[in-house]
Amino acid sequence: MALVKQFSKTKSVCKVTFTLPSEVVNEAKKVALVGEFNDWNSTATLLKKQKDGQYKASVELPIGSEFQFRYLLDGTNWINDEAADKYVANGFTTDNSVVVL
């Protein structure tokens, strides 16, 4: 798992690339990035499978913010990002990953 941040030199945004390795995705057919930045919409930001088997998606987010997120595999299996900047309780006996910009 990885979060790669590319801060813009001309705008107050950061392009964040979210990556899941194939062994984490396992046999999942649909991998979604779900979080505060897309109103927890499970179809808004789908990760695309790369030639090397990893799944990736990029999102531009405002600098100076932090956003909770998780990955949703096949609409049923929620997982966190091991590379998240921090974690916060989500009220459902688990934590959400957080990206801080």
Side-chain angles (χ1 to χ4, degrees), residues 5 16 35-37 40 61-69 85-88 96-101:
K5 301 173 188 175
V16 183
E36 293 176 313
F37 44 80
W40 296 96
L61 301 171
I63 295 172
S65 303
E66 55 183 63
F67 297 92
Q68 295 182 36
F69 71 96
D85 296 321
K86 65 181 186 178
Y87 304 91
V88 296
N96 287 339
S97 302
V98 177
V99 59
V100 179
L101 306 169

Side-chain angles (χ1 to χ4, degrees), residues 66-83:
E66 55 183 63
F67 297 92
Q68 295 182 36
F69 71 96
R70 297 189 85 194
Y71 300 104
L72 182 60
L73 308 180
D74 287 337
T76 58
N77 186 21
W78 291 94
I79 61 172
N80 280 326
D81 195 315
E82 293 174 359

